[in-house]
Amino acid sequence: MKKHILALGITSAIAGVVTPVSADVTLYDYEQPTSAYEDAYVSGRLNVNSGNQDQTSHDLNLDMNYERVFSSPDRDVKINGDLQGSSKRGPNSGDETQENYIGTGSVGMNKYFQPDSKGAFWYTDGEVGVKKGADDPRVKVGAGVGYGRVVNVTPMAQAIRLVEALRDKNKLTGDLTKAEYNQLANVIAKESEYRSKYGATDYRQNWVADMEAVMQASGKTNGELGAAGILKAYDVLVNERISTRKHGWLVKAGLSEVIKDYDGGDGKPALDIAGEYHKPLSNRTQFSNEASASAILQDDDNSYTARNNMSLTHEISDRVDWLNSWAIDYDHNDKTGQDTTTNAASSTYRYYLSNKLAFDTVAALTKVDDGIDANGNDEVDKSLFMGVTYRLK
């Protein structure tokens, strides 16, 4: 009950602090073309202490994240990867270095029965997981059906930001129509195509030139954008970082098979259900929620897991992002009779030193409830740390 009240409170707070985008053109007006997007980050933090202790101590944490999505009228293909690693050593002479890592990689495809629809689809996916101390990697494959669609609307967010910047520079005499915004967003969405056609060194001049042609065709540019307008467009689209914007929802259910598990076991069929909901609350604010559950389908094993990940990202300025997340992970192990619930909440203030490098200040709370007393996790774990994030893509 408390969790539901907290979730309601967070949702109400979100609704109260954000403001809608322009009433004329919003991210929801984006008519998605065939497109692709790619996000890749490396985050890390390191603490080293020496002096007045037996040995130099350290605490190193690294986190690598990767996501690539390709969308066409009849299918969405998604590739995900996440790897977390740590290395710790205490100050006492008997303290040894403790290293740990855990990683997951997955690929999945949603194939729509009717192209250009947000309706029914069938899906197939696969997952590979590794972690230290495991006997084997975890390999899982599955298939099923679903309904709904999540659309990448980041190109429209970039188009709106670009038009705002050019109007501030008096390079546009008026706002664009919805159709013109979509034409501009469609050119922005094809960045990877321009890179493949013209090369990584020269593609941007052709990319920006085609955007200028769209705006010139609107009759609101007073001729060419000029050097100042071109440089401003380059600054908005290349030097600034806009976090990924998504809109829509989907639900799906299917069957999967754990071909190999961490403990060396195999042949575990499972029932899987999952859902996603994404909503841009404004041109600068993104809300997302993803949930999933999986239950073992064996007479002698009623184990199941469920997880929910909620996030809110707000761009305070062109160089500052405020990222918030709340993840709940529940695991019921029928073999041991143990239930474990993990709550992890974090709030990150991210300042971009450049378009790729950012400095993070993170406040985090973690609570593990496993029904076992005096095992070191009875209280809420509170942490405040600083680190850097490098954006690869």
Side-chain angles (χ1 to χ4, degrees):
M1 183 63 181
K2 290 181 180 179
K3 294 175 183 177
H4 295 301
I5 293 174
L6 180 57
L8 179 61
I10 291 175
T11 305
S12 300
I14 292 169
V17 299
V18 298
T19 56
V21 296
S22 167
D24 295 327
V25 178
T26 71
L27 301 184
Y28 310 124
D29 293 317
Y30 183 45
E31 299 171 3
Q32 182 194 28
T34 298
S35 64
Y37 73 87
E38 188 175 27
D39 289 332
Y41 295 92
V42 178
S43 300
R45 64 183 191 270
L46 171 65
N47 292 321
V48 178
N49 295 306
S50 64
N52 297 312
Q53 55 188 49
D54 297 337
Q55 63 181 0
T56 300
S57 60
H58 70 268
D59 186 350
L60 171 66
N61 289 271
L62 293 174
D63 191 357
M64 302 179 66
N65 306 100
Y66 179 80
E67 181 180 53
R68 179 175 175 83
V69 175
F70 172 78
S71 298
S72 63
D74 65 333
R75 73 188 65 194
D76 292 338
V77 178
K78 183 176 182 180
I79 302 172
N80 264 333
D82 182 80
L83 178 63
Q84 297 175 335
S86 65
S87 177
K88 299 180 181 180
R89 187 173 71 172
N92 302 315
S93 58
D95 295 336
E96 297 182 354
T97 300
Q98 299 179 353
E99 297 177 341
N100 192 32
Y101 65 85
I102 183 169
T104 303
S106 64
V107 59
M109 180 187 70
N110 298 342
K111 181 70 166 62
Y112 287 82
F113 294 107
Q114 182 178 347
D116 284 316
S117 77
K118 298 180 180 179
F121 62 85
W122 62 267
Y123 76 87
T124 180
D125 56 25
E127 179 182 298
V128 176
V130 295
K131 67 178 181 180
K132 186 173 183 179
D135 295 331
D136 288 301
R138 188 174 193 265
V139 181
K140 179 182 177 181
V141 295
V145 294
Y147 191 91
R149 194 163 198 170
V150 174
V151 177
N152 170 36
V153 296
T154 311
M156 181 61 88
Q158 292 174 298
I160 293 173
R161 178 84 64 84
L162 177 58
V163 170
E164 289 175 349
L166 292 176
R167 293 204 65 183
D168 288 342
K169 292 291 184 180
N170 295 318
K171 294 301 178 181
L172 286 175
T173 59
D175 211 350
L176 304 184
T177 65
K178 291 182 181 180
E180 291 164 346
Y181 264 112
N182 267 288
Q183 292 172 14
L184 182 60
N186 288 349
V187 175
I188 293 173
K190 295 177 180 179
E191 181 181 6
S192 59
E193 294 182 22
Y194 281 85
R195 184 186 292 109
S196 298
K197 183 176 181 180
Y198 298 106
T201 303
D202 300 324
Y203 82 91
R204 290 192 180 101
Q205 62 190 41
N206 297 282
W207 187 43
V208 175
D210 286 351
M211 294 180 217
E212 182 184 19
V214 171
M215 290 182 280
Q216 284 180 328
S218 72
K220 300 167 185 172
T221 60
N222 287 328
E224 296 182 351
L225 292 179
I230 296 297
L231 288 174
K232 190 60 182 177
Y234 183 89
D235 186 49
V236 170
L237 297 170
V238 178
N239 293 333
E240 292 183 13
R241 279 301 179 186
I242 296 179
S243 55
T244 302
R245 299 285 187 265
K246 301 177 185 179
H247 175 235
W249 60 270
L250 64 81
V251 292
K252 60 183 182 180
L255 298 175
S256 62
E257 178 81 10
V258 179
I259 298 175
K260 183 69 68 174
D261 213 343
Y262 292 126
D263 59 5
D266 54 19
K268 296 180 181 178
L271 171 66
D272 299 325
I273 59 174
E276 297 182 32
Y277 177 77
H278 305 272
K279 184 178 180 64
L281 301 179
S282 76
N283 191 35
R284 290 183 176 268
T285 307
Q286 172 73 45
F287 174 78
S288 295
N289 194 84
E290 299 184 22
S292 63
S294 181
I296 300 297
L297 297 177
Q298 288 183 336
D299 292 338
D300 61 342
D301 191 349
N302 294 319
S303 300
Y304 61 90
T305 60
R307 56 179 55 93
N308 188 84
N309 195 342
M310 182 188 300
S311 66
L312 174 70
T313 301
H314 178 66
E315 293 185 3
I316 298 175
S317 71
D318 295 342
R319 283 194 173 274
V320 179
D321 285 352
W322 181 36
L323 303 91
N324 302 273
S325 66
W326 176 26
I328 302 175
D329 196 309
Y330 179 79
D331 178 71
H332 170 71
N333 191 317
D334 193 56
K335 295 292 187 180
T336 63
Q338 184 174 354
D339 295 331
T340 303
T341 303
T342 303
N343 277 272
S346 68
S347 184
T348 302
Y349 180 90
R350 176 168 292 168
Y351 179 80
Y352 282 95
L353 303 172
S354 69
N355 64 331
K356 288 184 175 295
L357 185 65
F359 180 78
D360 296 340
T361 302
V362 185
L365 300 173
T366 304
K367 180 66 174 75
V368 178
D369 184 5
D370 54 12
I372 303 175
D373 295 330
N375 65 341
N377 61 13
D378 296 334
E379 302 297 329
V380 176
D381 184 17
K382 311 175 186 69
S383 59
L384 176 66
F385 54 88
M386 299 178 183
V388 294
T389 295
Y390 184 77
R391 181 164 184 162
L392 300 171
K393 295 288 185 179

